[in-house]
Amino acid sequence: RVGIPIVLLHDAEGAVVTVETTRGELIRGLLFEAEDMMNLYIKNAVVTDPNGNKRKVDQLYLRGPEIVFIVLPDMLKHAPMFQRIKHWRKHGGAPPEGVGAAVGQAAAILRKADERRRGGFRGFGRDRGGREGRFGGRGGFGGGGYGGGPPQRPSHYGP
């Protein structure tokens, strides 16, 4: 599940934010995209270094671990997410079906996060049919089980 701060950060996409980094820089610009790990893609940014020197940057990608804090716009006080939280507190837990459910952009953000968590790229691991992925699964290249040896035929292919 995605926590409240991350949902709020996703709601701020398209707004101007100010970010302080671990190096002491202040970055102010348009938050174009935010990821669940707090990696930020900012456009039309003004970067102020700790000495007060400013420079303009068309776009920058800031990794989550480099962020000390983020100043979000005041308009997010009225974000739909806060209405759902009030409803949940009032009714002591999860809302009734259909009440306070994510709609519009919030639903799209939650759907996108869910796809990331489930692994949209299926190059390794199991595929949808439960078969092992690349290189025959366990045992390295081609070997079934633990020991190597010839590739094993999955049981659902028949005799």
Side-chain angles (χ1 to χ4, degrees), residues 37-50:
M37 296 297 292
M38 290 185 67
N39 301 328
L40 306 179
Y41 178 37
I42 301 175
K43 289 188 169 185
N44 303 326
V46 176
V47 180
T48 307
D49 67 17

Side-chain angles (χ1 to χ4, degrees), residues 132 135-152:
E132 291 293 332
F135 305 130
R138 291 177 158 166
F141 290 87
Y146 290 101
Q152 301 295 316

Side-chain angles (χ1 to χ4, degrees), residues 70-89:
I70 303 170
V71 179
L72 300 173
D74 287 338
M75 70 176 187
L76 291 176
K77 288 183 203 174
H78 306 293
M81 176 195 63
F82 290 123
Q83 302 306 316
R84 289 194 302 273
I85 292 170
K86 285 179 188 175
H87 184 83
W88 293 338
R89 286 185 180 160

Side-chain angles (χ1 to χ4, degrees), residues 5 18 31 36 55 66 72 79 108 124 133 142 149 151-152:
T18 304
L31 179 59
D36 290 349
R55 67 181 195 276
E66 297 175 3
L72 300 173
F124 300 98
Q152 301 295 316

